[in-house]
Amino acid sequence: MENIKSYVQENKDRFISELIELLKIPSVSADSAYSQDVIDTSEAVKLSLEKAGCDKVEICETDGYPIVYGEKTIDPALPTILVYGHYDVQPADPIELWTSPPFEPVIKTTDIHPEGAIFARGACDDKGQMYMHVKAFEYMIQNNNLPCNVKFMIEGEEEVGSVNLKTFVENNTEKLKNDVILISDTGMISNQQPSITTGLRGLSYVEVEITGPNRDLHSGLYGGAVANPINILAKMIASLHDENNHITIPGFYDNVEELSLEERAEMAKAPFSLEDYKKALDLNDVYGEKGYTTNERNSIRPTLDVNGIWGGYTGEGAKTVIASKAFAKISMRLVPNQDWEQITELFTKHFISIAPAGVTVKVKPHHGGQGYVTPIDSIGYKAANMAYTETFGIPAIPVRSGGSIPIVALFEKELKSKTILMGFGLDSDAIHSPNEHFGIFNYLKGIETIPLFYKYFVELSK
Ligand code: BES
Ligand code: MN
Ligand code: MN
């Protein structure tokens, strides 16, 4: 039987070129101009699962983009691992900031990735990380050492809120039955220090619209005498944080879990350099909620951020105008126990209440999801840690991430199983940004580590 290390060495060029083919298809779920590409990607994923050795692969149609489902059952008495990932990607814009076209993958070296990294939209989030699972599975099939049953569920709407996946999971709890859910759609501390994500933040995403006069007005003739929706919107948004950067929405913190000093001290042991952090972002200082460290601010604390704001004249030159309307998109990252629907309601009520007379306010809720925390004494966590320890030579550190994968909390609710987040990306991989990339080291290390998770999970389950 061939070991995984040598299988990866022998096949790495093919592994890389197959991923590159997948990355060439622009599966941007947010933009309907790419709808055929998203569908084509689902077909490519289906084919890859068939080739790797699934018995049954199907395209499950939804009201949106299809879910690719595949399985391999070797013995119903053995445990079943459900692998989740997503084949859709974020929009590539601003396209002019890419150093090579987002859907023409190329390998370039960086300081952090001296062995090279694949530059393309979706390289890390999540096509590259999802495809590690397909290749790890291929190895186990080829070498006759798949130790348990496996189910794959790869969706095409993660980046737009997984609305149809939610329905699919609710309607297919028997089909999706499993002992553990395995996801690679997060990151790790560094290539020298693996980590396992033990928490994800929840999310509430809303859009607001402020309307003043019924038409755009001359800012000289009317300025000073009517409410300017852009001024008002800016004021209202500014008031959502106090001088300590606490969020001012009444009730917002009611269910926030305060970590003990011991837990916070434990968290602070993870290697982190504030100097390097600032340097990587060209910042002269960090900014955030008083009383918390940078790593706490972006993981165990909830936040409120404007993601986009527009209105009025933004073209060339000047136009003296008071716009009729102003808009903003606002996201709130939530921590476990905060209910996203309740937070959306609290936001809506508060935002409407702070609007002065002279404008009207509309709040349109988008999507959301609950946060997630997972214990580190589960079989799944232990198996993951054993796998990382073997391939990296040192144990993984548990880390709560600031990102969101809202479907994870739903998995636990509907399927009653824990999710293990074995991420191989780095924060510096620029997911959602121009020049997204995924290290070749990370990609191959992921393929190496995953079969060990299977092995140890089955051993520990006995
Ligand atoms: N893979 C990311 C989430 C992620 C990245 C979690 C890195 C932890 C570390 C996922 O694709 C994502 O982008 N999620 C969205 C939420 C979704 C509802 C659009 C997010 O976090 O903004
Ligand atoms: Mn993702
Ligand atoms: Mn993403």
Side-chain angles (χ1 to χ4, degrees):
M1 200 164 63
E2 193 178 8
N3 80 29
I4 178 68
K5 253 201 161 79
S6 50
Y7 189 80
V8 169
Q9 279 316 310
E10 276 160 34
N11 293 282
K12 64 177 186 204
D13 291 345
R14 178 174 59 84
F15 290 172
I16 292 166
S17 60
E18 285 177 11
L19 174 57
I20 284 178
E21 287 312 304
L22 198 61
L23 290 167
K24 284 182 185 168
I25 324 175
S27 49
V28 180
S29 52
D31 185 345
S32 59
Y34 295 96
S35 59
Q36 191 55 49
D37 298 296
V38 183
I39 292 165
D40 290 350
T41 308
S42 72
E43 288 296 337
V45 172
K46 174 176 186 260
L47 209 67
S48 75
L49 286 172
E50 282 166 351
K51 276 197 186 160
C54 281
D55 289 335
K56 193 175 93 184
V57 187
E58 45 190 36
I59 294 275
C60 305
E61 296 297 341
T62 71
D63 287 345
Y65 290 120
I67 294 158
V68 187
Y69 177 81
E71 60 181 44
K72 175 84 190 173
T73 303
I74 55 170
D75 179 353
L78 286 168
T80 299
I81 296 176
L82 173 68
V83 175
Y84 163 85
H86 62 94
Y87 64 82
D88 65 320
V89 302
Q90 281 280 321
D93 57 86
I95 202 118
E96 64 281 4
L97 295 182
W98 284 75
T99 53
S100 56
F103 299 107
E104 292 171 31
V106 286
I107 297 175
K108 289 182 268 197
T109 57
T110 71
D111 290 347
I112 292 178
H113 296 294
E115 294 167 52
I118 306 176
F119 280 72
R121 174 55 87 227
C124 177
D125 183 13
D126 179 43
K127 283 175 173 165
Q129 297 213 71
M130 176 273 290
Y131 206 65
M132 299 180 316
H133 287 269
V134 182
K135 295 298 100 179
F137 173 67
E138 173 196 298
Y139 157 75
M140 291 182 280
I141 293 291
Q142 288 299 317
N143 288 277
N144 240 320
N145 63 355
L146 179 68
C148 59
N149 309 308
V150 54
K151 296 175 177 176
F152 289 92
M153 178 168 67
I154 315 295
E155 72 152 320
E157 296 186 308
E158 196 278 340
E159 300 291 7
V160 289
S162 304
V163 179
N164 294 297
L165 181 69
K166 182 170 184 277
T167 315
F168 181 78
V169 171
E170 286 163 353
N171 293 337
N172 290 282
T173 50
E174 199 47 43
K175 181 191 184 89
L176 300 172
K177 205 166 173 287
N178 64 78
D179 296 281
V180 71
I181 298 167
L182 184 59
I183 304 180
S184 296
D185 193 22
T186 53
M188 56 178 189
I189 293 174
S190 74
N191 285 355
Q192 292 71 44
Q193 178 57 68
S195 54
I196 299 171
T197 303
T198 51
L200 293 164
R201 287 196 286 192
L203 181 71
S204 162
Y205 202 108
V206 297
E207 189 169 321
V208 299
E209 178 187 312
I210 306 289
T211 306
N214 61 2
R215 61 187 164 88
D216 290 5
L217 301 173
H218 188 287
S219 68
L221 295 182
Y222 290 92
V226 296
N228 176 332
I230 300 176
N231 292 10
I232 301 290
L233 177 60
K235 235 185 177 166
M236 288 168 70
I237 288 171
S239 79
L240 296 174
H241 291 93
D242 69 13
E243 68 282 5
N244 293 322
N245 280 313
H246 287 298
I247 294 157
T248 56
I249 300 169
F252 187 85
Y253 291 98
D254 280 0
N255 297 319
V256 169
E257 163 205 36
E258 292 290 339
L259 267 67
S260 66
L261 287 175
E262 288 77 14
E263 283 173 284
R264 290 174 66 184
E266 200 52 44
M267 265 186 77
K269 284 186 190 158
F272 175 74
S273 153
L274 191 59
E275 278 319 301
D276 292 351
Y277 185 88
K278 288 193 281 190
K279 218 166 121 202
L281 300 175
D282 273 330
L283 292 172
N284 57 24
D285 207 349
V286 291
Y287 184 87
E289 188 182 3
K290 196 176 169 189
Y292 296 92
T293 66
T294 294
N295 275 334
E296 290 171 341
R297 287 169 178 168
N298 67 25
S299 64
I300 59 164
R301 298 299 295 168
T303 61
L304 183 151
D305 278 296
V306 179
N307 297 262
I309 183 163
W310 70 102
Y313 184 71
T314 57
E316 198 183 330
K319 178 184 178 191
T320 46
V321 68
I322 292 174
S324 165
K325 285 177 188 291
F327 304 84
K329 289 183 194 277
I330 297 174
S331 66
M332 287 160 279
R333 295 282 168 173
L334 311 175
V335 296
N337 298 339
Q338 281 184 299
D339 177 70
W340 77 271
E341 280 168 320
Q342 191 200 353
I343 292 291
T344 305
E345 252 171 57
L346 290 178
F347 174 90
T348 306
K349 230 173 95 194
H350 178 67
F351 205 69
I352 291 172
S353 79
I354 59 176
V359 298
T360 54
V361 183
K362 271 194 208 150
V363 178
K364 182 173 131 198
H366 277 265
H367 52 268
Q370 312 295 48
Y372 185 70
V373 264
T374 191
I376 61 170
D377 57 5
S378 69
I379 291 176
Y381 186 92
K382 284 182 190 155
N385 197 17
M386 286 162 80
Y388 279 106
T389 306
E390 193 160 324
T391 51
F392 284 82
I394 48 166
I397 294 177
V399 170
R400 288 229 215 163
S401 172
S404 307
I405 311 176
I407 205 68
V408 172
L410 186 92
F411 287 159
E412 179 149 317
K413 180 166 167 258
E414 295 294 329
L415 305 175
K416 316 270 182 269
S417 47
K418 294 268 171 247
T419 291
I420 302 300
L421 297 158
M422 287 180 78
F424 293 89
L426 300 179
D427 283 355
S428 55
D429 287 345
I431 65 170
H432 294 208
S433 303
N435 306 311
E436 174 176 354
H437 54 280
F438 190 35
I440 302 283
F441 168 89
N442 304 66
Y443 179 51
L444 300 178
K445 213 49 161 185
I447 300 171
E448 254 180 55
T449 310
I450 291 163
L452 294 167
F453 173 82
Y454 280 60
K455 178 180 151 197
Y456 292 126
F457 184 75
V458 174
E459 276 180 25
L460 294 175
S461 298
K462 278 179 188 152

